[in-house]
Amino acid sequence: MAFVITSPCEQEKAGECVEVCPVDCIEEGKDMFYIDPDICIDCGACEAVCPVEAIYMEDEVPDEEHEYIALNRKFFEDK
């Protein structure tokens, strides 16, 4: 299971999450950041520093944000 970045990140892109990630699994997209679920080690460092509270453990993503689970995965599949 990995962390997922959700809608509050769109257009915000603060970037603190990238700076604290020990495995460099967060990449910048056009409108937001994305977490590579295959690299994420579930440490939670990104969640703790996100100023807009956009980052959740995959199984804790709010129902209205579930589409972001697939969007995060798709971002890395399309690379």
Side-chain angles (χ1 to χ4, degrees):
M1 189 159 321
F3 279 85
V4 175
I5 299 177
T6 60
S7 68
C9 183
E10 289 183 326
Q11 306 303 323
E12 174 66 31
K13 292 173 47 172
E16 285 92 334
C17 56
V18 176
E19 296 170 18
V20 300
C21 180
V23 293
D24 295 325
C25 70
I26 304 172
E27 292 188 26
E28 186 173 358
K30 181 179 177 227
D31 298 321
M32 60 183 284
F33 288 98
Y34 297 90
I35 297 175
D36 188 331
D38 295 329
I39 299 175
C40 179
I41 59 170
D42 306 330
C43 70
C46 59
E47 181 183 33
V49 299
C50 181
V52 294
E53 299 179 356
I55 303 173
Y56 297 88
M57 279 296 293
E58 187 173 334
D59 63 350
E60 296 176 0
V61 173
D63 290 341
E64 65 273 11
E65 300 284 334
H66 269 208
E67 68 185 279
Y68 288 89
I69 297 171
L71 286 174
N72 272 266
R73 289 188 185 282
K74 184 172 179 4
F75 179 82
F76 292 98
E77 289 171 0
D78 290 347
K79 290 192 136 204

